[in-house]
Amino acid sequence: ELVTLTTLGYDRGAFGFGGETVGLTRRHTEILALLLLRPEGLTAEQLAIELYGDFGKPVSVRAELSRLRRLLGDNLETHPYRIGPRVRWDFSVLERLAEMGRAREALERYVGTLLPASEVPAIVAARERLDFSLRGAALASEDPDLLSAWLHTPSGADDVFAWRRLADLLAQDDRRRVAVLSQL
């Protein structure tokens, strides 16, 4: 059975399976995001370092993983810990669309940044990588509609350079130009 993990725009993710949605704690969401970012898997020791730095304790992570395993069953594999192939992640869908040059489709699905309040370095890096990719595609396209789509995302809303670029791309008589200039 296919399982979906939703993390974009939320600090706490949710798992959907069998028509049911289960909310997760912030820490569980971060653990799952780390495992999905590293499909080859991570040990409890590696997860502890990722989550807590040098002072992380693998025993704490193992306890969290045990709770997650009760929720996810065999979708959470062990030795090393990794997520099974039946899990679909909203973040990875956007990342794939961006990699395939389908920025418009990715921006249509982009409801918010990856776990916005997370300070876990690998999650911050993934969040920034996706934003950079989508922003770059929108700017490179020179398509006012695509650039506007970027600017109407949580990450793009304060992108002054992109707002200026959009103002330059819009014709003088384009009615959107007034709104863009007022945003600047």
Side-chain angles (χ1 to χ4, degrees):
E1 177 177 345
L2 186 65
V3 177
T4 59
L5 176 63
T6 304
T7 57
L8 293 174
Y10 300 101
D11 292 327
R12 298 167 50 146
F15 251 107
F17 53 93
E20 231 182 286
T21 300
V22 176
L24 300 167
T25 67
R26 182 172 166 186
R27 187 55 77 194
H28 284 169
T29 306
E30 289 174 329
I31 290 169
L32 292 175
L34 286 170
L35 292 174
L36 285 159
L37 287 167
R38 306 273 169 73
E40 71 280 2
L42 294 166
T43 64
E45 291 78 12
Q46 291 170 317
L47 278 166
I49 290 170
E50 289 280 348
L51 292 165
Y52 305 106
D54 293 336
F55 302 104
K57 299 200 181 331
V59 69
S60 300
V61 172
R62 282 190 195 96
E64 296 294 343
L65 287 162
S66 177
R67 289 182 200 102
L68 274 171
R69 186 123 166 96
R70 283 194 294 269
L71 278 175
L72 302 174
D74 63 358
N75 287 304
L76 177 59
E77 300 172 4
T78 58
H79 308 297
Y81 293 101
R82 62 194 174 284
I83 302 298
R86 294 185 313 268
V87 176
R88 296 292 173 261
W89 187 24
D90 59 353
F91 174 83
S92 65
V93 170
L94 287 191
E95 205 169 40
R96 259 193 310 277
L97 287 170
E99 287 170 4
M100 294 168 32
R102 294 165 56 186
R104 184 175 312 280
E105 211 176 322
L107 284 166
E108 287 171 0
R109 294 175 179 222
Y110 188 50
V111 295
T113 60
L114 170 65
L115 302 175
S118 179
E119 295 178 5
V120 173
I123 292 171
V124 171
R127 179 172 54 226
E128 291 174 352
R129 183 178 64 240
L130 179 62
D131 284 350
F132 182 80
S133 175
L134 293 174
R135 179 182 190 265
L139 286 168
S141 74
E142 300 207 4
D143 174 348
D145 293 330
L146 190 57
L147 195 49
S148 181
W150 162 251
L151 289 166
H152 288 89
T153 67
S155 297
D158 295 327
D159 188 339
V160 174
F161 180 82
W163 282 108
R164 285 189 180 131
R165 185 69 190 122
L166 181 57
D168 291 343
L169 289 173
L170 293 173
Q172 292 294 327
D173 61 346
D174 191 314
R175 67 177 194 265
R176 296 176 293 177
R177 195 164 171 25
V178 172
V180 169
L181 293 173
S182 71
Q183 180 68 28
L184 283 168

